[in-house]
Amino acid sequence: MAPTKTSKASSASKSSTQKHAGIGAPSQLAQSSRKGKRAWRKNIDIQPVEHGLESLRSEERVIGSTLQKQTNDQLFVVDTKGDDKVRKSLPRYSKAELTSTKILSQRSAIPAVFSRPTKDSITSRSKVSRADKERLLRIAKRPRKGPFNAIMDHTEFGAGSALIDVSAAVKHSGSYDPWTAEEVEEVADGLEYTKKPKIKRPELSHPRDVIEVPAVLEPHQGSSYNPPAAAHDELITEACRLERRRQDEADRLAEIRRKVADARTLATNFTEGLPLGMTLDEIPTDDGELVAQHDAVVPKKPSTRKTKQQRAKALRLREEKRALADKAARKKMLATITMVKSLRSTAEKVGQQQNQARLARQLALKMKLRKGLAGQRLGKYKVPENEIEVQIGEDLSENLRTLKPEGNLFRDRFRSMQQRALIEPRVPILPSRRAKLKEFEKHAWKRFE
C-alpha cells in the first residue's frame, strides 16, 4: 500500500506543477525541500516571464520595435480608394455559375443516351498517315494506285520499303543560329559545372563587314579581244611588274637557301682552334715535302687560391662600386624632382602621340581592308592575288571566232570568296610519297631446317 500512496502523491505534485506553470502568477516548482529562503528563491517558476520576453524579442526582430511602442498611424491604415485588382479578379456574371445550373449539371455522372451516334460516342480509331499506308503496301508488295489510278510498279527506284525523303536535318536547315541569345536558366548552387556553358558571340568586327570588293570585278579594258592600244600596254606593264616582283622574291629565297647550304658545309668542315670559315694550309719543308700538322697541346694554367688579403680587397672594391652607383642613382633622382611638371607634360604628349598613331594605324588597316584581303596573310596561309590575264599583240584575236579562253572560272570564284573573307585561305594538300620498298633475294640453300 505504501508504493501506491507514493505514486499518487507524485502524480498530484506533477499535475499541480503543470497547472501553476501554465496559468497565473509565477509559482513554486515541485521541490523536495523548502528549508530556508535560498531553496524558495531557487525553485520559483519563471517560464511565463521567459515566454513573454521571447515574444517581445521576436516582435523586435520582425518589426524593429515592440508593438506597444508603435503609434496608431504605424499600426492602422484607412483605405479610402480600394484595390482595383480585386474587382478584376472577381468572376463576371454567367449562367454557368448559377447554383441552379450547378445542381442540374451535377445530377448524374453518367452521360445521357443519344439516339444518333456523335463524334464523342464513336471510339477514335488509330489514324494512319498516307505515307505510312503507302510504305506498308510497298513492304507487302501489294498493288497500290498512283496518280490517275494507275498501278505503281514495286520494282522501280523509290518504290521499296525505304522512305525516299529528305532527312530531318535538311528540313530544319537554316533555322538554327548558334549566336542567338537564349534565355538564361537559373542554376542551383553546386550545379554550375555540370551543364555545358552557353556559347557567347565574340564582340569583334569581322573583316567581311568592312570589305567593299564586289563579287565579280569589272575586267580591265586591256583584257578585251580587241583592246585599245593604250589600255593593252598598261595591262602588259602591270603584268610585267607583277612577274618581276615574283621573280625577285624567288631570287631572294634562292639566295637564302644558298647561304644556309654554305653554312652547313662550313659547319661540317670546322677545324678546332680556328674561326668558322678559316682553313689552315699545310707548311712545306725546305725539301718540298709537306709536314704533317699535329694539334698542339696548350698547357692549362693552374688555378691558385686567393689569399685572405686578396679576398678582402676584392670585397672592399665591390662595396665601393656599389656605394658609388647608389650615390649616382640618388643624385639623378633628386635632379628629376624639379622636373616633375615637365615630365608629366612630356608623358601626356607621348600618350597623345601614341593614341593618334594607333588611330592612324586602325584607319589605314580599315582602308586597306576595303580593297579586300588579296596579298595579305590571314592565319597560316596567304590570300592569293588575282592573276592578270593578258595576251601579247601576236596572240590577240580580232574576232570572237578565233578567241581562245583564258583562265579558269571556278578558280576565279574561289579566289574571290577568299579575298572577301567568306572562306579561309587554303593550299592544295598533295598526297605524301610512300617510302620505296626494298627488295631482298631469299636463297633456298641458306635455310637450314
Side-chain angles (χ1 to χ4, degrees):
M1 296 300 290
T4 307
K5 293 180 180 179
T6 306
S7 61
K8 287 182 180 179
S10 61
S11 61
S13 63
K14 287 183 180 179
S15 61
S16 63
T17 303
Q18 292 177 357
K19 180 179 179 181
H20 289 293
I23 303 172
S27 60
Q28 296 179 356
L29 292 174
Q31 53 189 1
S32 58
S33 174
R34 297 183 181 179
K35 185 178 181 180
K37 294 183 179 180
R38 186 176 182 181
W40 282 80
R41 295 193 189 100
K42 184 177 181 181
N43 298 294
I44 293 297
D45 185 12
I46 58 172
Q47 289 183 1
V49 179
E50 290 180 351
H51 292 321
L53 293 175
E54 186 63 28
S55 63
L56 292 177
R57 293 192 195 101
S58 62
E59 290 176 3
E60 289 181 357
R61 284 195 296 268
V62 176
I63 303 174
S65 64
T66 59
L67 292 174
Q68 298 173 358
K69 297 180 181 180
Q70 297 286 334
T71 60
N72 294 335
D73 297 338
Q74 295 176 349
L75 294 175
F76 306 101
V77 176
V78 179
D79 189 5
T80 58
K81 185 179 178 182
D83 193 357
D84 297 335
K85 295 182 180 179
V86 176
R87 186 179 294 106
K88 293 180 180 179
S89 62
L90 292 176
R92 295 183 179 180
Y93 172 75
S94 176
K95 291 183 178 180
E97 298 297 330
L98 296 177
T99 308
S100 58
T101 309
K102 292 180 180 179
I103 294 172
L104 292 175
S105 61
Q106 294 178 1
R107 288 179 63 184
S108 175
I110 302 172
V113 179
F114 296 93
S115 59
R116 295 181 181 179
T118 59
K119 293 182 179 180
D120 299 333
S121 62
I122 299 175
T123 57
S124 60
R125 299 178 181 177
S126 59
K127 297 180 180 180
V128 182
S129 62
R130 182 181 180 84
D132 294 341
K133 189 174 182 180
E134 291 182 355
R135 186 174 64 86
L136 294 173
L137 290 175
R138 286 197 297 268
I139 294 174
K141 295 183 180 181
R142 298 284 298 276
R144 54 190 181 84
K145 294 182 179 181
F148 304 105
N149 294 329
I151 302 299
M152 303 293 292
D153 186 7
H154 64 274
T155 59
E156 64 182 0
F157 176 75
S161 59
L163 289 175
I164 308 299
D165 195 5
V166 293
S167 61
V170 178
K171 290 180 179 178
H172 299 287
S173 61
S175 60
Y176 174 71
D177 187 5
W179 306 117
T180 52
E182 298 181 359
E183 297 181 356
V184 180
E185 298 180 359
E186 296 183 358
V187 183
D189 295 339
L191 301 178
E192 293 85 359
Y193 301 99
T194 57
K195 293 186 178 181
K196 293 183 178 180
K198 302 295 183 182
I199 301 174
K200 294 184 179 180
R201 184 174 184 177
E203 298 178 357
L204 299 174
S205 60
H206 200 276
R208 72 165 68 98
D209 301 334
V210 187
I211 295 173
E212 298 179 357
V213 179
V216 180
L217 295 174
E218 184 179 353
H220 196 272
Q221 259 187 338
S223 60
S224 176
Y225 68 95
N226 190 12
H232 188 250
D233 294 342
E234 181 184 355
L235 190 60
I236 287 178
T237 305
E238 187 177 354
C240 180
R241 191 186 303 110
L242 180 61
E243 191 63 30
R244 187 176 299 167
R245 188 177 63 184
R246 291 178 180 175
Q247 187 64 33
D248 294 343
E249 185 69 18
D251 294 343
R252 187 179 66 83
L253 293 177
E255 183 67 19
I256 293 173
R257 292 193 189 96
R258 186 185 63 78
K259 289 182 180 180
V260 171
D262 294 345
R264 287 178 179 174
T265 54
L266 289 175
T268 54
N269 300 331
F270 173 70
T271 304
E272 187 176 359
L274 294 176
L276 188 64
M278 179 181 288
T279 56
L280 183 63
D281 298 335
E282 296 180 354
I283 303 173
T285 59
D286 297 338
D287 300 336
E289 297 180 357
L290 298 176
V291 178
Q293 295 289 336
H294 299 283
D295 296 336
V297 179
V298 181
K300 293 183 178 180
K301 187 178 180 180
S303 59
T304 57
R305 181 179 178 84
K306 291 184 179 181
T307 60
K308 188 175 181 180
Q309 292 80 5
Q310 291 176 347
R311 290 196 298 271
K313 184 179 180 180
L315 180 61
R316 186 170 62 256
L317 290 175
R318 286 197 301 271
E319 290 179 354
E320 290 178 358
K321 288 182 180 179
R322 190 182 299 110
L324 290 174
D326 294 342
K327 186 177 180 181
R330 193 180 300 106
K331 186 177 180 181
K332 186 177 180 180
M333 183 185 66
L334 292 174
T336 55
I337 290 176
T338 58
M339 302 170 59
V340 171
K341 294 183 178 179
S342 61
L343 290 175
R344 186 183 295 120
S345 61
T346 305
E348 291 178 357
K349 290 180 181 179
V350 171
Q352 292 177 1
Q353 292 176 0
Q354 291 178 353
N355 191 17
Q356 292 177 0
R358 180 178 59 82
L359 294 176
R361 287 195 302 270
Q362 291 179 358
L363 182 60
L365 180 61
K366 190 173 181 180
M367 296 299 294
K368 188 177 181 181
L369 280 177
R370 288 183 179 180
K371 300 178 182 179
L373 298 175
Q376 300 183 26
R377 182 176 297 278
L378 188 66
K380 188 178 179 181
Y381 303 108
K382 190 176 181 181
V383 180
E385 298 180 2
N386 291 327
E387 297 289 342
I388 299 177
E389 300 170 359
V390 62
Q391 294 179 348
I392 59 177
E394 299 175 356
D395 299 337
L396 283 175
S397 58
E398 298 182 357
N399 50 29
L400 292 174
R401 290 184 178 180
T402 59
L403 181 64
K404 296 180 181 179
E406 291 287 341
N408 190 331
L409 188 60
F410 175 77
R411 192 178 294 112
D412 291 345
R413 295 297 91 227
F414 189 76
R415 192 183 297 116
S416 174
M417 294 174 71
Q418 287 180 343
Q419 293 174 359
R420 288 181 290 138
L422 296 178
I423 57 176
E424 59 178 343
R426 288 295 188 96
V427 295
I429 300 175
L430 301 177
S432 59
R433 296 181 180 179
R434 294 182 179 179
K436 294 182 179 180
L437 297 177
K438 294 183 179 180
E439 296 182 358
F440 296 95
E441 184 179 357
K442 294 183 179 181
H443 305 282
W445 63 86
K446 289 186 178 180
R447 297 181 181 178
F448 302 99
E449 295 180 357

